Amino acid sequence: MRSLRLCAALTALALAPLALAPLAAHAGNPVINTVFAADPSARVWPGDDRLWLYTSHDQPGTNTYDTMISYHVFSTSDLVNWTDYGVVFHLKSAPWAISHMWAVDCVRRNGTYYLFYCARERGTGMFRIAVASSPRPQGPFTDLGPVAGVQGGIDPAVLVDDDNQAYLVWGGGGRCFGARLADDLRSAVPESFVDLSAQLPDFFEGPWLHKRAGKYYLSYPGLPGRKWPQHMYYAVADKPLGPYTPGGVYMREFPGRSDTNHGSIAEYKGRWYAFYHSSWLSGGKSQVRSVMADELEYDATGAIKPIVPTERGVAIAGVQPAPSRVTVLLEAEAAPAAGGALDGPTVATELPGFSAAGYVTGFGQSLNHVTVMVQSAMARQAHLKIRYAAPAGPQKLKLLVNHTSLQVPDLDPTEYEKYLSFPAAAGWAEFDCGVVSLREGDNFLKLYTGRPSADIAVDWFRLEPVR
């Protein structure tokens, strides 16, 4: 993910002149172009047609990795159109942790999704590997605390083998470790610990495990000759915890890279893909990174063929690579866990047909509100829609976007009170709020009661890209 020690020379190197072509209108990379995301872990879940990405999040305008405090989840069915579910786990949801939420991974076990992450421990400042859980792949996730028996370390990655045994690998600062996990994924099996560092040339951090044709591949960012920037290496073994045979470098330095690289390898709909990160979207700022993807191929011996990052990007068979369209979908009931708030309204499930875990209702008192947060890499516009139900008849509410009253055509500009009129809807309907302006960083959408009689249920907020 990143070095524990950065120097001015690295920053200067990262800000070298870039090939600006990746930002051209035809480009498919970066595949996530609306928020600064890094360290992508790609997953395909049984019975689910989508590919999922679990990523860390870089704050716009930062020049340090100390500011990383949350994780995002994305999904796609064609590698071009993506859904961003917003912040799915935040530092404030991990009471044991104080800062530095770096790389992340996710696995599915017995119908539950387990998010493995790392952070610095409150009081000691030590890095710990921890786990959170959710009944849904997009979260939000509930913290379960640090993984017992794993002292220190960053960048967790987990492989669940064909026999359902889970293996954890992690490491940073030039050391890589592995261990079997207990059945509940909450602790490591002590006698299984291995130090893989000597088996992985130039290893620095960010290990990833995947399995192909009965072989185990451990890929990682390494420092050739202990000199920056990082290149992507891999090694191969017959068992998840080795011993590993070095396979070489499959991705070298490239124009527009960040000082770090970190990624994953996954098969999706019959093809293999490498996910990684760059500084293409930020114009070379190494601590402000974006997710990239390119196809990955193996030769007849199982060796990974070298990858050169492309502007073209990726798409499934039958779909042309194109600039990614990232839609943000924010569940109203998840607002408190995702940087927003519920003040007055409560979560309910009685009305059928809601998405995810429920919806919010209880706008009957003046100024009761739901606030959702949407993060953006840059100032941009998005088309906002709200899914709602109003069985009792039309309802009027107010909406603020970053403390600004929404202006839509059906509002009377001479009226002091700016109400949105939600038509009567016995079932779920979508209210079109038109185009809203987002600023760089955190944005807050506040939907609230202006008149105490409001009787409405709110399912989600969706922000679609505007071209």
Side-chain angles (χ1 to χ4, degrees), residues 258-269:
S258 64
D259 57 356
T260 67
N261 204 344
H262 185 132
S264 58
I265 295 171
E267 184 180 20
Y268 182 56
K269 296 187 177 181

Side-chain angles (χ1 to χ4, degrees), residues 362-380:
F363 292 86
Q365 295 183 1
S366 183
L367 301 181
N368 280 8
H369 64 267
V370 54
T371 299
V372 294
M373 182 179 73
V374 56
Q375 294 181 314
S376 185
M378 72 292 289
R380 61 188 178 92

Side-chain angles (χ1 to χ4, degrees), residues 33-36 60 281 375-382 402 436-443 466:
N33 53 23
T34 51
V35 296
F36 292 122
L281 192 63
Q375 294 181 314
S376 185
M378 72 292 289
R380 61 188 178 92
Q381 291 188 316
N402 293 330
V436 299
S437 295
L438 302 177
R439 63 193 179 195
E440 177 189 280
D442 296 345
N443 295 262
V466 174

Side-chain angles (χ1 to χ4, degrees), residues 388-403:
Y388 76 100
Q395 300 295 326
K396 289 191 174 183
L397 288 90
K398 293 183 176 181
L399 178 68
L400 297 184
V401 180
N402 293 330
H403 313 296

